[in-house]
């Protein structure tokens, strides 16, 4: 690409290369520093983007790829204009957005990213460059390169978005689903006609996803297994993104949660979130919203659980809307128990769930009653809040850790809160 500014001197080029190598070694944290604000800015007026954990994860990964691309280019050719790269993965992501009727504000996204990235860039440049004249040259050249990269990237993304809009055949179906689950006023008969799916019966919504978009074959296998499990029941499937599928199962013969878990478990890397079942159009909406909330919660907590039902974690979702707040809650409630042997927490949670009956808890855990009582006693010694004083808080904190065992670390659990 043509150069629009004076190339750096050898000294400035060497300094640029050194700074980029330093940042490249920690590209994940560099990109994470502005990923959330970028997504929020891009999603202005597009709430569906923020509600879908698969899309947000892919957006974050592509932002990291952009960061690595610019840093790598400046290591190879310091201070030159960097040609944006939009590969197959970026094109697939944009196609997914188009099919969902989501039009990101690329300008706002890049503006948000640049404001944070530039401050981080300044901090590193000032820390590593003690020569004032050299620092001015490095900042001048890098400012040109970064700003031009942003402008060129926005232009390319708009072109890819336009091409995807012209060639997407599934956009109407997904747009209709977005309207329905979003609560847009619509008669049941109109919605049924557009979707080819009966809404006036019992539904359960499922979201299938993988943590890597190149595993779409596993998603297809999971969908096929669900079709087999559904038997005579109806099934509606929508390709929400390259890494996720939205599914509704309905009818008297629709599979229950255990059949669904069995079907999905054979698909390897596929994960699943289930909403609460219910009747009619409202259940079609609410069950899907439950499944979406479950997916977002698992992503927020960095949980690796493969199969999750919203009804089992609804309380945890409410408690962990703020990750830092959830960490404080668990540390304040459990203290050292939060990082103790997992068998102690399991025994205590089962004991509470069994109505403080050690015999029932022992039967559920396949342990001797004395073993359960010893573990419960030891767990209560470690816990800051004692189970007899506030069993609700203890159980809630244990449930959070059951979902995300690594939420807190040993240093946090020994803090004391007023």
């Amino acid at each position: 690409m043509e150069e629009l500014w004076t190339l750096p001197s050898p000294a400035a080029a060497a300094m640029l290369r050194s700074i980029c190598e330093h940042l490249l070694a920690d590209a994940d944290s560099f990109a994470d520093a502005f990923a959330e604000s970028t997504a929020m800015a891009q999603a202005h007026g597009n709430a569906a983007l923020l509600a879908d954990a698969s899309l947000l994860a892919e957006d974050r990964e592509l932002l990291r790829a952009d960061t690595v691309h610019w840093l790598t280019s400046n290591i190879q050719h310091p201070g030159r204009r960097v040609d944006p790269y939009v590969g197959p993965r970026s094109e697939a992501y944009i196609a997914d957005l188009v099919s969902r009727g989501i039009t990101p504000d690329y300008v706002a996204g890049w503006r948000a990213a640049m404001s944070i990235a530039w401050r981080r860039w300044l901090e590193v440049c000032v820390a590593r460059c003690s020569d004032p004249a050299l620092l001015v040259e490095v900042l001048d050249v890098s400012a040109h390169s970064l700003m031009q990269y942003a402008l060129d990237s926005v232009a390319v993304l708009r072109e890819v978005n336009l091409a995807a809009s012209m060639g997407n055949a599934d956009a109407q179906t997904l747009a209709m689903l977005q309207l329905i689950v979003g609560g847009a006023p619509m008669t049941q008969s109109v919605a049924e006609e557009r979707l080819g799916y009966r809404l006036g019966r019992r539904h359960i919504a499922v979201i299938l996803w993988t943590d890597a978009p190149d595993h779409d074959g596993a998603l297809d296998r999971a969908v096929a297994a669900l079709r087999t499990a559904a038997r005579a029941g109806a099934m509606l499937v929508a390709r929400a993104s390259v890494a996720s599928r939205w599914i509704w199962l309905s009818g008297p013969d629709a599979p229950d949660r255990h059949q669904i878990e069995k079907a999905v478990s054979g698909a390897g890397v596929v994960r699943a979130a289930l909403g609460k079942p219910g009747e009619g159009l409202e259940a079609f909406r609410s069950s899907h919203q439950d499944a979406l909330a479950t997916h977002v919660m698992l992503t927020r907590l960095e949980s690796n659980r493969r199969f999750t039902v919203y009804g089992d974690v609804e309380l945890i979702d409410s408690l962990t809307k703020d990750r830092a707040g959830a960490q404080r809650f668990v540390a304040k409630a459990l203290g050292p128990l939060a990082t103790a042997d997992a068998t102690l927490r399991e025994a205590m949670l089962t004991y509470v769930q069994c109505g403080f009956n050690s015999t029932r808890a022992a039967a559920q855990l396949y342990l001797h009653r004395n073993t359960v009582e010893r573990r419960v006693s030891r767990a209560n010694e470690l816990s800051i809040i004692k189970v007899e004083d506030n069993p609700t808080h203890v159980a809630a904190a244990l449930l959070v850790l059951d979902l995300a065992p690594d939420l807190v670390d040993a240093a946090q659990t020994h803090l004391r809160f007023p």
Side-chain angles (χ1 to χ4, degrees), residues 39 51 56 78 164 196 208 263 269 278 338:
L56 285 176
L208 301 180
V269 296

Side-chain angles (χ1 to χ4, degrees), residues 94-95 98 103 160-169 171:
I94 291 172
V98 168
T103 305
V160 175
N161 195 88
L162 179 60
S165 299
M166 296 174 65
N168 194 294

Side-chain angles (χ1 to χ4, degrees), residues 104-339:
D105 188 338
Y106 295 117
V107 173
W110 273 94
R111 185 182 295 119
M114 291 296 294
S115 64
I116 298 173
W118 180 248
R119 181 175 181 83
R120 172 66 174 145
W121 178 259
L122 281 175
E123 291 171 350
V124 176
C125 288
V126 170
R128 296 178 67 86
C129 185
S130 57
D131 183 335
L134 183 59
L135 176 62
V136 169
E137 184 181 0
V138 167
L139 292 177
D140 182 53
V141 172
S142 57
H144 282 299
S145 181
L146 274 170
M147 291 305 299
Q148 191 62 48
Y149 183 61
L151 292 172
D152 292 340
S153 296
V154 168
V156 171
L157 288 171
R158 284 175 168 169
E159 289 177 5
V160 175
N161 195 88
L162 179 60
S165 299
M166 296 174 65
N168 194 294
D170 298 325
Q172 288 188 347
T173 298
L174 273 167
M176 176 58 62
L177 284 171
Q178 294 264 121
L179 289 173
I180 294 171
V181 300
M186 185 179 306
T187 65
Q188 183 170 300
S189 59
V190 169
E192 288 181 338
E193 181 181 354
R194 297 284 183 87
L195 296 177
Y197 176 87
R198 284 180 55 195
L199 295 170
R201 52 185 174 182
R202 186 173 177 80
H203 306 275
I204 183 168
V206 182
I207 292 178
L208 301 180
W209 79 95
T210 69
D211 294 323
D214 55 347
H215 291 150
D216 53 343
L219 282 170
D220 293 338
R221 290 193 297 275
V223 170
L226 276 179
R227 288 193 187 279
T228 301
R231 299 188 302 276
M235 181 171 168
L236 176 64
V237 181
R239 184 185 185 279
S241 74
V242 69
S244 65
R245 304 290 184 269
W246 291 354
I247 298 171
W248 286 263
L249 300 161
S250 66
D253 294 322
D256 61 22
R257 59 182 287 175
H258 302 294
Q259 292 172 305
I260 295 172
E261 182 174 12
K262 183 178 179 181
V264 173
S265 64
V269 296
V270 175
R271 303 172 67 186
L274 272 66
K276 292 181 178 179
E279 301 282 341
L281 177 59
E282 184 53 39
F284 183 88
R285 291 172 173 147
S286 63
S287 187
H288 177 72
Q289 289 165 349
D290 291 346
L292 276 177
T294 304
H295 187 186
V296 170
M297 179 196 64
L298 293 172
T299 303
R300 180 173 69 239
L301 295 178
E302 299 177 0
S303 172
N304 59 4
R305 181 174 288 191
R306 294 277 306 281
F307 185 86
T308 311
V309 180
Y310 183 70
D312 295 343
V313 297
E314 187 171 5
L315 173 63
I316 309 308
D317 184 36
S318 299
L319 287 173
T320 59
K321 294 294 186 185
D322 170 28
R323 181 182 174 88
Q327 290 173 325
R328 288 193 297 271
F329 170 75
V330 171
K332 182 178 179 180
L334 302 182
L337 178 58
T339 53

